[in-house]
Amino acid sequence: MKRVALVTGGTGLLGSWLIPALVRHGYEKVYALVRKKSDGDNGIRRLYATIDSNGDERSVQLIRRNIEVIEGDICASKVVESRRALSAIRGKITDIFHAAALADFNASLPAIRLVNVIGTKNISELALYLHAKSDVDIRFHHISTAFVAGTQQGYFEESQFNCGQNFFNSYERSKFEEEEIVREYSMKKGLNVTIYRP
């Protein structure tokens, strides 16, 4: 089966590694959801600059041929604003990799919740929408963090989640709340989810 991915956070640390890795591992197409900046930058230049700095010329050309930028914002209720772009990916996506996040240990809780929690809810809604419009069972890959363990002492297993732990900062709390949302969409709404905790 042909694999086609949608990746959030493609210009970030994990996303910029993930996009080339997906292409190298046989994904036919990778759509990178990139936020348009206020100066009119549509993200293509930023994405290509990141990719160009991470490989030799031959692999960079392969990656460039197999990626396409889609403007969007996970913080907006309509993640992909353009109907044309939404139509282009509908029925094609087999995997969504949600790597976009605000990784700032000093950010205020409201600011970090907007990106990490609301953004995750919005991309989960997009995943459900695309799943409903497709014959393919879309897999939602959520990039979380080991920091969801918070103040929990000792060994924290992959299957563990809510152990009554507290958190050292707003980043840890937001990533915990993010996982709560993804788990709810998985259990109650039928989204096919894998959670990763780097």
Side-chain angles (χ1 to χ4, degrees):
M1 181 174 71
K2 294 176 181 175
R3 310 300 295 178
V4 177
L6 173 67
V7 176
T8 69
T11 58
L13 179 67
L14 283 175
S16 62
W17 168 85
L18 183 59
I19 290 171
L22 292 173
V23 172
R24 287 189 199 104
H25 284 86
Y27 276 74
E28 183 182 81
K29 186 87 160 173
V30 177
Y31 291 94
L33 185 74
V34 178
R35 185 169 37 94
K36 186 175 185 176
K37 292 210 168 180
S38 56
D39 62 2
D41 175 13
N42 65 3
I44 295 172
R45 197 169 49 246
R46 282 180 288 135
L47 183 64
Y48 281 176
T50 306
I51 289 166
D52 291 353
S53 66
N54 288 323
D56 59 79
E57 190 176 329
R58 188 173 166 210
S59 66
V60 164
Q61 290 308 314
L62 171 69
I63 293 160
R64 280 188 173 217
R65 277 196 308 273
N66 290 284
I67 62 170
E68 189 172 323
V69 170
I70 293 180
E71 285 182 13
D73 185 353
I74 64 167
C75 298
S77 56
K78 274 188 167 181
V79 173
V80 179
E81 220 171 278
S82 161
R83 287 184 183 172
R84 188 173 168 189
L86 194 56
S87 176
I89 63 173
R90 192 170 44 225
K92 294 180 183 173
I93 302 296
T94 58
D95 298 86
I96 295 176
F97 292 85
H98 181 41
L102 179 57
D104 182 348
F105 288 84
N106 298 312
S108 70
L109 193 54
I112 206 163
R113 271 185 175 144
L114 176 63
V115 178
N116 294 358
V117 181
I118 302 301
T120 296
K121 182 179 184 297
N122 292 340
I123 200 71
S124 297
E125 283 294 328
L126 177 65
L128 280 179
Y129 169 78
L130 292 173
H131 176 72
K133 301 292 182 185
S134 175
D135 297 332
V136 179
D137 187 20
I138 295 174
R139 163 105 23 213
F140 186 83
H141 305 265
H142 177 69
I143 313 299
S144 184
T145 177
F147 289 113
V148 296
T151 57
Q152 180 72 15
Q153 296 292 308
Y155 191 71
F156 192 80
E157 295 184 9
E158 290 292 321
S159 58
Q160 287 180 284
F161 178 58
N162 191 344
C163 302
Q165 68 266 48
N166 286 314
F167 303 96
F168 292 105
N169 53 58
S170 57
Y171 172 74
E172 292 181 357
R173 177 170 295 283
S174 74
K175 294 299 279 187
F176 176 86
E177 291 174 5
E178 209 181 71
E179 262 200 45
E180 269 185 323
I181 287 171
V182 171
R183 288 165 180 271
E184 182 180 324
Y185 272 78
S186 173
M187 288 184 263
K188 295 183 181 172
K189 299 192 178 185
L191 199 57
N192 191 357
V193 172
T194 302
I195 296 173
Y196 306 90
R197 290 179 178 167

